[in-house]
Amino acid sequence: MANLLEVKDLTTHFFTQDGVVKAVDGISYTLAEGEVLGVVGESGCGKSVHALSIMRLVANPPGRIVAGEILFEGENLLNMDDSEMRHIRGNRIAMVFQEPMTSLNPVLTIGRQLTETLELHQKMASREARTRAAELLQTVGIPDAESRLSDYPHQFSGGMRQRVMIAMALSCNPRLIIADEPTTALDVTIQAQILELMRDLAEEFGTAMVIITHNLGVVARYAHRVVVMYAGKIVETGTAHDIYRNPRHPYTIALLNSVPRLDATERVRLDAIEGLPPDLVDLPQGCSFAPRCKYAYERCTQETPVLVETDTNHTSACWRHDELTELAAAAKS
């Protein structure tokens, strides 16, 4: 499959009074047409900032994309002017934000917020746009769609508002949807419904997806490939199967060990990741995860590891990636 999106050495910094916050520090990956990519990591690791960078929505000041390329369908988004980017944003690349109540305009009806996008990007007349808006609400499972176009965001539940956001994202048949923590504020049952809906619609329309989450269960069920981020960098990439069956970075192992397993045959104590994420203004020398890593040795605190291929389509930024399996087994015994 051809690459739809190529992120090359993307670097986004925030210039503050306390110093330069290296929110995204030189990340690279590709996304094929129709593929679902999961981006995981703790809060503050740069997941959302990287998504906002792709959409060119980083607030400046204090934020600025200082280096790298974002190639979408072969075009570098960073070289486009504002008018060209407005044609891309919401049309060919859509985003589902983390909290729909803060993303929807509280003083405009749902119908107006849907038809505005259709009129702008699809050049539809108002009546045609309203008909299409009702069809979209029906597609995402909102009953009595025609009458609900006249309602305001506060008249919808959290799950319904997220469905509206998905309808808006799908309205122009985008090539790529970026979903930033799309189910964080929802209960578990609604989370499953929203994620199943997004996956089914993406498959139906042939849309590629980037799902940003800290929920490893979501990644296991819905993603084809996984990118693991820590302190603004990518520390491991691979297929979802490989990441779960054979993790090659201590941070990935720690994340997996902190999640309860339904297939566990006995009661197992969950492992917490000790310590705190590093200060992005003053990153430690060497590997940023070394102060929290139970497998770190002297080299880890002196030299910064780079991503290397450990297996086919599997990379890791760890000096001890080839011996982690043995080290983890020894730690458990």
Side-chain angles (χ1 to χ4, degrees):
M1 292 185 291
N3 286 329
L4 178 69
L5 177 71
E6 293 183 64
V7 177
K8 297 183 178 180
D9 196 32
L10 177 63
T11 306
T12 302
H13 292 170
F14 289 83
F15 298 86
T16 70
Q17 292 180 340
D18 296 326
V20 179
V21 179
K22 299 177 180 178
V24 177
D25 197 13
I27 69 170
S28 301
Y29 67 82
T30 61
L31 178 69
E33 296 178 3
E35 186 178 25
V36 178
L37 178 73
V39 180
V40 300
E42 292 173 296
S43 297
C45 71
K47 306 185 302 295
S48 295
V49 173
H50 121 269
L52 293 173
S53 299
I54 293 173
M55 299 295 288
R56 293 265 304 274
L57 291 174
V58 175
N60 181 15
R64 190 165 76 242
I65 301 172
V66 297
E69 294 181 305
I70 304 170
L71 302 178
F72 176 69
E73 296 181 324
E75 299 178 88
N76 189 356
L77 300 182
L78 300 184
N79 290 339
M80 294 183 177
D81 60 30
D82 290 343
S83 62
E84 290 175 314
M85 196 60 210
R86 279 195 296 271
H87 179 70
I88 295 285
R89 194 186 299 127
N91 185 21
R92 291 158 64 192
I93 304 177
M95 189 164 179
V96 179
F97 291 93
Q98 182 170 351
E99 177 45 66
M101 195 58 192
T102 59
S103 303
L104 294 168
N105 191 323
V107 300
L108 294 179
T109 65
I110 293 299
R112 182 56 193 140
Q113 295 184 63
L114 279 165
T115 57
E116 183 179 31
T117 302
L118 294 167
E119 292 170 8
L120 176 64
H121 292 301
Q122 302 295 306
K123 309 302 180 186
M124 290 185 179
S126 58
R127 181 174 296 181
E128 182 185 9
R130 188 173 178 85
T131 301
R132 176 59 179 154
E135 292 173 355
L136 286 165
L137 290 187
Q138 191 171 11
T139 298
V140 298
I142 293 180
D144 199 15
E146 177 66 36
S147 66
R148 303 234 56 185
L149 289 173
S150 301
D151 289 343
Y152 291 85
H154 71 271
Q155 295 175 276
F156 288 73
S157 67
M160 288 298 183
R161 284 195 293 266
Q162 196 62 285
R163 288 173 185 267
V164 171
M165 291 296 297
I166 295 171
M168 293 177 68
L170 291 168
S171 61
C172 297
N173 298 321
R175 301 294 310 283
L176 169 64
I177 293 177
I178 301 173
D180 184 10
E181 302 275 11
T183 60
T184 296
L186 307 178
D187 64 60
V188 175
T189 303
I190 302 301
Q191 282 184 26
Q193 293 176 3
I194 294 295
L195 289 166
E196 292 286 348
L197 172 66
M198 291 182 67
R199 183 184 64 178
D200 293 345
L201 292 174
E203 290 177 355
E204 179 182 348
F205 293 102
T207 305
M209 286 182 59
V210 175
I211 299 179
I212 298 169
T213 182
H214 59 267
N215 188 330
L216 293 170
V218 168
V219 171
R221 183 170 178 82
Y222 300 103
H224 301 128
R225 284 193 305 121
V226 181
V227 166
V228 183
M229 290 188 66
Y230 186 80
K233 294 181 180 291
I234 292 176
V235 296
E236 186 169 9
T237 68
T239 65
H241 180 273
D242 287 345
I243 291 290
Y244 280 80
R245 291 301 181 102
N246 188 26
R248 291 301 188 95
H249 195 280
Y251 179 57
T252 309
I253 293 174
L255 287 176
L256 293 171
N257 288 343
S258 66
V259 176
R261 296 180 62 98
L262 293 177
D263 60 350
T265 56
E266 58 186 36
R267 296 178 65 180
V268 179
R269 187 180 183 87
L270 298 179
D271 294 334
I273 305 176
E274 297 182 358
L276 297 172
D279 183 354
L280 297 180
V281 175
D282 185 23
L283 290 169
Q285 184 178 352
C287 175
S288 297
F289 188 61
R292 308 173 71 187
C293 179
K294 63 177 68 175
Y295 310 121
Y297 68 140
E298 185 178 359
R299 186 182 186 186
C300 301
T301 61
Q302 302 297 322
E303 302 177 43
T304 303
V306 296
L307 280 171
V308 296
E309 191 169 55
T310 61
D311 298 294
T312 304
N313 298 322
H314 195 160
T315 64
S316 173
C318 177
W319 295 122
R320 309 190 75 177
H321 65 80
D322 56 346
E323 50 182 329
L324 279 180
T325 302
E326 292 78 10
L327 290 170
K332 289 182 179 179
S333 61

